[in-house]
Amino acid sequence: MSSATEPEPAQLLVGSQVIGLRGGETVLEALERSGFDAASGCRAGTCCKCMLRADNPPPESQRGLRPTLRHAGYFLACQARPTGTLRIDQGEAPPTLQARVQRSEVVAQDVRRIFLVTAEPLEFRPGQYIEIFHPSGATRSYSVASLPADGVLELHVRLVPEGLVSGWLHGLEEGDSLRLRGAFGQCFHVADDERKKLLLVGAGTGLAPLLGIARDALEQGHAGAIDLVHGGLAPERLYLRDELSALASRWPNLRVHHCVLKGATKREHEGSLDEVAIRLSGPLGDTRAFLCGDAGVVRLLQRSLFLAGVPSGEILADPFEAAPV
Amino acid sequence: MSLYERLGGAPAFQAATDTFYRRMLSDERVSRFFDDVDMDGQIAKQRAFLTFVTGGPAEYTGKDMREAHASLLEKGLSDEHVDIVVEHLGGTLADMGAAKEDILEVAALAESVRADVLGR
Ligand SMILES: Cc1cc2nc3c(=O)[nH]c(=O)nc-3n(C[C@H](O)[C@H](O)[C@H](O)COP(=O)(O)OP(=O)(O)OC[C@H]3O[C@@H](n4cnc5c(N)ncnc54)[C@H](O)[C@@H]3O)c2cc1C
Ligand code: HEM
């Protein structure tokens, strides 16, 4: 029997195991004492190697982490002295859901926009990604461009030559069913400062998460300037232009820019995506950057924008790494 | 009070880490050592570096220093690079408002792990 005055004992739940915390002990120390092989480094809240996830971590153990990580419940085990019960997330995969294709349309030479409806609602933040199961069991990640309120999952899928899953997805028709799970990823809007400048840069289907992030920020009342820069090799590779223009005319603080490597018309900027984005966006010291798409491009953007002045903690990157073969 | 605390602790070092890391990435003499490591991980490590050398809360042993830099030795890490790191460290701390004698003290601490960093 516990009375209202008696505090709940400090304890950890790891799977089915309960670990009582001794006075003053950190989560990291308790895990080590109980024989867990917990990663650690500086043990002082600096190196971030001991990062774990839980639903209600002590706020002081989240100091210095980027906003999306704090939002998602990540914390530093070496800094956490919880008072009640803390259930450590062991990275259980989210449940697999059934979905069916509602619509699939070609939006560029090699890109399809595919709308899916899930049998049960999927929890996600726009900009996060889901994993799609190929009938062979192989999985690939695709970013969600829509908002939960839309009631559909919008994906932009580029056909990769010889690609197993992208090829299969391109061949699916209205009504076909598939399995997916999610959502994953740390590249999404957190409404912690409605005046902050947001810079969204992506190449190719990197537009998918950026579209979701931009719409999410706007609908949540973001008041600061939002610059979205979509890059591609040539003008005909850029897609959803009308839709982006319509969005920009509806929301005065959103500006949409197009950038191509070569053959720019009056509607595009020409040059390297990082240089164009930096030129267009002005001072970067108080900017949050979202960078999505091809992994090589994202790494270049990350480095260039950091060197141009975006604080490292404000760079949220989502590199589309190819699946290991 | 440690220099780490006098210079403003964790919040001040968050920003200083960016300054320091920008200096390293922009310096052609050392940038290649930081090329193929992911940026988030690298920022955390450089913050640990600055915290450690200013007497802040970061516990590292000589063995840790050996392990952290072992792979860099294969890329040709040598005395010259340690000197450059110490130079940018001094510049970063001066930007944060550290006094000359503090910077010398930090340089001495960095010096004390030179052999470990270079695996000697
Ligand atoms: C977090 C995340 C989010 C992603 N979001 C999206 C998205 O929104 N839209 C989207 O279209 N894709 C996205 N991807 C990429 C996607 O997950 C697949 O990797 C891609 O569709 C290729 O899968 P595949 O099965 O068709 O090709 P595979 O059968 O895996 O590969 C076929 C061949 O092509 C090569 N290859 C794979 N990818 C590329 C590439 N990008 N460029 C050049 N060669 C390649 C492989 O090495 C292999 O030789 C994302 C990836 C990640 C990690
Ligand atoms: C002057 C003495 C030095 C000290 C005290 C020092 C300290 C540190 C510390 C504390 C870490 C983090 C270790 C970890 O948590 O894993 C680290 C990592 C690193 N240091 Fe140094 N360092 C020194 C010199 C150098 C030099 C000269 C270079 C190269 C020019 C360098 C490049 C790196 C790199 C690239 C890493 C990250 C390695 C990885 O990714 O694992 N360091 N250093």
Side-chain angles (χ1 to χ4, degrees):
Chain A
M1 276 274 162
S2 73
S3 71
T5 50
E6 201 179 307
E8 210 192 335
Q11 59 183 18
L12 301 179
L13 297 184
V14 189
S16 58
Q17 197 169 337
V18 181
I19 303 169
L21 281 160
R22 296 176 182 166
E25 202 174 37
T26 65
V27 169
L28 179 61
E29 286 158 353
L31 289 174
E32 287 175 337
R33 170 169 59 77
S34 313
F36 283 93
D37 181 21
S40 71
C42 75
R43 315 184 74 88
T46 306
C47 78
C48 300
K49 274 190 206 157
C50 64
M51 191 159 75
L52 296 174
R53 211 202 71 80
D55 286 334
N56 54 339
E60 68 277 8
S61 64
Q62 298 189 295
R63 246 189 22 210
L65 297 184
R66 65 179 65 244
T68 45
L69 289 177
R70 287 201 300 270
H71 182 92
Y74 285 91
F75 68 100
L76 302 178
C78 75
Q79 298 300 294
R81 293 183 173 82
T83 45
T85 298
L86 191 71
R87 198 178 70 81
I88 308 285
D89 181 75
Q90 290 187 291
E92 302 96 352
T96 300
L97 304 179
Q98 285 292 334
R100 97 192 133 65
V101 177
Q102 190 207 50
R103 190 151 58 92
S104 169
E105 62 193 32
V106 176
V107 288
Q109 172 194 338
D110 55 354
V111 181
R112 266 183 181 270
R113 191 186 194 194
I114 303 176
F115 294 88
L116 305 175
V117 182
T118 52
E120 290 150 67
L122 173 81
E123 253 185 62
F124 70 96
R125 298 295 313 267
Q128 284 192 302
Y129 61 91
I130 55 170
E131 279 181 0
I132 301 247
F133 288 85
H134 181 260
S136 69
T139 59
R140 297 287 186 273
S141 306
Y142 296 93
S143 308
V144 184
S146 49
L147 307 192
D150 295 341
V152 284
L153 292 176
E154 172 183 343
L155 311 180
H156 302 173
V157 180
R158 183 172 83 88
L159 181 64
V160 169
E162 316 275 306
L164 176 68
V165 181
S166 62
W168 173 71
L169 283 171
H170 270 238
L172 290 182
E173 292 172 5
E174 192 182 315
D176 284 347
S177 61
L178 52 104
R179 290 181 309 134
L180 57 84
R181 68 177 173 206
F184 309 94
Q186 305 302 331
C187 192
F188 53 81
H189 175 65
V190 176
D192 55 353
D193 178 0
E194 61 167 34
R195 303 225 59 91
K196 198 177 263 303
K197 228 170 79 172
L198 305 182
L199 174 61
L200 284 54
V201 194
T205 48
L207 179 61
L210 297 183
L211 181 60
I213 293 163
R215 285 186 60 208
D216 187 28
L218 291 163
E219 306 245 332
Q220 288 196 53
H222 192 78
I226 305 180
D227 280 290
L228 191 160
V229 192
H230 187 207
L233 292 174
E236 68 274 14
R237 305 292 288 266
L238 299 171
Y239 63 92
L240 292 194
R241 287 184 168 213
D242 293 345
E243 189 147 333
L244 290 173
S245 306
L247 200 63
S249 41
R250 204 179 131 206
W251 301 93
N253 55 329
L254 172 68
R255 292 191 300 172
V256 174
H257 316 270
H258 296 286
C259 170
V260 291
L261 216 45
K262 52 179 187 286
T265 70
K266 269 189 290 196
R267 299 171 68 202
E268 299 94 21
H269 300 268
E270 187 169 288
S272 168
L273 186 55
D274 58 331
E275 285 164 18
V276 170
I278 289 166
R279 197 169 71 224
L280 289 169
S281 52
L284 290 166
D286 191 27
T287 298
R288 179 170 296 162
F290 298 88
L291 313 173
C292 307
D294 175 81
V297 175
V298 167
R299 272 193 293 272
L300 172 72
L301 287 167
Q302 231 177 338
R303 183 180 173 122
S304 300
L305 287 171
F306 173 67
L307 288 176
V310 182
S312 60
E314 297 289 353
I315 300 180
L316 304 170
D318 195 7
F320 292 1
E321 307 281 358
V325 275
Chain B
M1 212 180 4
S2 67
L3 177 60
Y4 178 82
E5 287 164 329
R6 275 184 281 137
L7 290 179
F13 274 80
Q14 190 103 0
T17 304
D18 279 7
T19 315
F20 175 72
Y21 193 45
R22 280 195 193 101
R23 280 172 174 266
M24 301 303 285
L25 283 180
S26 313
D27 187 331
E28 282 173 15
R29 298 171 298 173
V30 287
S31 59
R32 66 190 167 93
F33 292 107
F34 302 87
D35 260 357
D36 58 334
V37 266
D38 94 287
M39 207 172 88
D40 284 354
Q42 200 50 243
I43 288 282
K45 283 175 182 167
Q46 300 315 311
R47 192 163 65 222
F49 164 77
L50 291 177
T51 305
F52 172 63
V53 293
T54 51
E59 296 167 24
Y60 282 103
T61 63
K63 179 166 163 280
D64 294 335
M65 288 296 101
R66 279 173 188 274
E67 281 168 8
H69 300 92
S71 66
L72 305 181
L73 290 178
E74 289 158 28
K75 293 195 199 166
L77 190 73
S78 70
D79 280 305
E80 168 204 356
H81 305 116
V82 177
D83 296 341
I84 295 166
V85 164
V86 172
E87 172 195 322
H88 287 306
L89 179 60
T92 305
L93 293 172
D95 287 349
M96 293 175 83
K100 221 184 193 134
E101 51 272 29
D102 287 329
I103 294 175
L104 288 175
E105 193 186 311
V106 167
L109 200 152
E111 205 53 57
S112 73
V113 295
R114 181 186 287 265
D116 290 316
V117 166
L118 294 177
R120 289 198 289 245

